[in-house]
Amino acid sequence: MDHGADANRTDLMTITRFVLNEQSKHPESRGDFTILLNHIVLGCKFVCSSVNKAGLAKLIGLAGETNVQGEEQKKLDVLSNEVFMKALKSSGRTCVLVSEEEEEATIVEPALRGKYCVVFDPLDGSSNIDCGVSIGTIFGIYALKDVHEPTIEDVLLPGKNMVAAGYCMYGSSCTLVLSTGAGVNGFTLDPSLGEFILTHPDIKIPKQGKIYSVNEGNAKNWDGPTAAYVKKCKFPEDGSSPKSLRYIGSMVADIHRTLLYGGIFLYPADKKNPNGKLRILYEVFPMSFLMEQAGGQAFTGKERALDLVPNKLHDRSPIVLGSYDDVEEIKALYAAEGKAQ
Ligand code: FDP
């Protein structure tokens, strides 16, 4: 592999160079994935720039619903969806697109079709937009195995069948984290170059962490194992220190921190929401794929998250993601509850 990028930042490992290097390990590859990824990267840059301007756009639009040019302002999540839909279709490499923003799947017109199916949440954590908290785009990619008329069945598949997954976080910096099934790498947008540069090579989540991340406001409705686990985090009985609580409420930001610092993120089932809140195809699967590739685990309370098979495009599932040992601990609590019943 080309490890040539140096610390003096004169020989930069851009995301395109990185993926081309990966591609060269597969001589049969025709570069389709690299082209698809370039279009996803373009979408991320566009959304990043729109998110950065959002506060300003709002200010100059205050007089009414229109901005100074008299154009109607689109909500950022609607705009992001349009950007990704257009970028993915025009790549000529996709056939089925599933977006959080759209009820139905889009089957790409035959002239623009390729073998990849992309499931994505164009702007996750959108309740955080107006207060400037980090938000992000999440995506997962499946590949058709043979040439056939694409249908939604091509994405109603277990997460372990994905060929790649990632997210782009629009925060104090813009960071794209990607796995093509051979580890996890993080790239940070250099705004002066307009390029994503490899800044977090081969991300490995610590085996155990000191942070737990969950919406404690739902505690009254939690299932037994979640309540028992969080109690252990706060009042450990084995002499260890209590864990710290960090919850941003924006999945991309919470998972990014969990990947880098270790710990556990939970969006469990509760009495009101037996399937939790997070969507299987474009939230649970991509994040579970990344977590496993980084050495962590992803568990639904019943099974390995990547073994789930969604019945419908927007199905939800409870999810626990994070450091290997921390997830092992909560799995043991679920197993004990199963035996007690
Ligand atoms: P949001 O509602 O702001 O779009 O699934 C969306 C999501 O954010 C995730 O990004 C986040 O992890 C979760 O919901 C937060 O949910 P709660 O507000 O119920 O904690």
Side-chain angles (χ1 to χ4, degrees):
M1 183 180 157
D2 169 13
H3 278 296
D6 66 30
N8 294 325
R9 299 176 59 83
T10 53
D11 182 19
L12 303 171
M13 181 63 79
T14 64
I15 193 164
T16 308
R17 179 173 165 195
F18 183 88
V19 174
L20 282 170
N21 284 342
E22 293 287 302
Q23 186 191 311
S24 66
K25 293 179 196 156
H26 307 276
E28 74 290 354
S29 162
R30 299 192 349 253
D32 288 333
F33 183 79
T34 310
I35 293 172
L36 171 64
L37 190 77
N38 271 331
H39 282 74
I40 293 178
V41 164
L42 177 67
C44 293
K45 286 181 193 168
F46 189 106
V47 174
C48 177
S49 141
S50 308
V51 168
N52 289 341
K53 282 188 289 204
L56 181 63
K58 202 169 173 195
L59 276 181
I60 55 180
L62 264 184
E65 296 270 298
T66 50
N67 65 16
V68 279
Q69 280 90 30
E71 296 158 342
E72 212 175 289
Q73 285 184 38
K74 281 209 171 86
K75 280 183 68 192
L76 262 184
D77 39 7
V78 177
L79 179 73
S80 307
N81 185 48
E82 265 184 46
V83 166
F84 277 102
M85 276 290 177
K86 287 180 181 161
L88 290 167
K89 282 186 207 163
S90 66
S91 73
R93 301 299 184 278
T94 60
C95 53
V96 184
L97 304 175
V98 177
S99 165
E100 194 265 350
E101 288 287 323
E102 301 196 7
E103 204 43 47
E104 307 291 339
T106 298
I107 307 293
V108 176
E109 61 183 274
L112 288 176
R113 252 177 226 169
K115 69 173 174 186
Y116 292 105
C117 307
V118 184
V119 292
F120 62 103
D121 187 344
L123 204 57
D124 188 76
S126 43
S127 64
N128 290 296
I129 295 175
D130 288 345
C131 57
V133 167
S134 298
I135 46 183
T137 298
I138 311 174
F139 58 91
I141 303 175
Y142 291 101
L144 293 191
K145 291 225 164 57
D146 47 46
V147 181
H148 61 255
E149 187 61 25
T151 69
I152 63 164
E153 302 305 322
D154 292 312
V155 293
L156 294 177
L157 298 172
K160 64 185 173 204
N161 290 21
M162 285 184 169
V163 294
Y167 60 78
C168 185
M169 184 176 73
Y170 313 110
S172 51
S173 57
C174 179
T175 308
L176 200 155
V177 173
L178 175 73
S179 175
T180 55
V184 180
N185 290 281
F187 304 82
T188 304
L189 183 65
D190 181 332
S192 60
L193 297 173
E195 291 276 8
F196 280 98
I197 309 295
L198 180 64
T199 46
H200 297 72
D202 196 19
I203 296 172
K204 291 281 175 245
I205 183 170
K207 203 155 175 283
Q208 194 170 33
K210 297 187 177 122
I211 298 173
Y212 73 103
S213 184
V214 66
N215 184 342
E216 291 234 40
N218 296 331
K220 117 174 141 77
N221 292 317
W222 281 344
D223 58 19
T226 305
Y229 181 78
V230 171
K231 191 171 168 217
K232 277 178 85 177
C233 291
K234 296 180 183 183
F235 306 102
E237 286 173 357
D238 58 1
S240 60
S241 305
K243 291 187 192 291
S244 294
L245 167 64
R246 299 280 184 275
Y247 188 69
I248 299 168
S250 173
M251 191 185 194
V252 174
D254 280 314
I255 295 297
H256 190 63
R257 183 203 55 247
T258 306
L259 265 181
L260 296 187
Y261 296 173
I264 195 162
F265 169 89
L266 310 98
Y267 212 112
D270 65 41
K271 284 184 206 128
K272 280 199 329 218
N273 306 294
N275 294 323
K277 175 179 183 187
L278 301 176
R279 312 286 184 156
I280 296 176
L281 268 182
Y282 41 79
E283 291 182 312
V284 169
F285 278 173
M287 295 310 197
S288 300
F289 189 94
L290 290 166
M291 207 46 87
E292 284 199 3
Q293 285 292 324
Q297 296 199 69
F299 178 64
T300 65
K302 291 198 176 99
E303 60 187 316
R304 175 188 176 208
L306 292 178
D307 284 340
L308 273 177
V309 185
N311 290 318
K312 295 203 224 75
L313 296 179
H314 301 285
D315 276 359
R316 304 167 195 263
S317 168
I319 185 69
V320 176
L321 295 151
S323 291
Y324 194 93
D325 287 355
D326 294 335
V327 178
E328 242 357 66
E329 225 176 289
I330 193 163
K331 275 166 97 173
L333 293 168
Y334 275 102
E337 188 199 46
K339 276 192 205 123
Q341 278 170 1

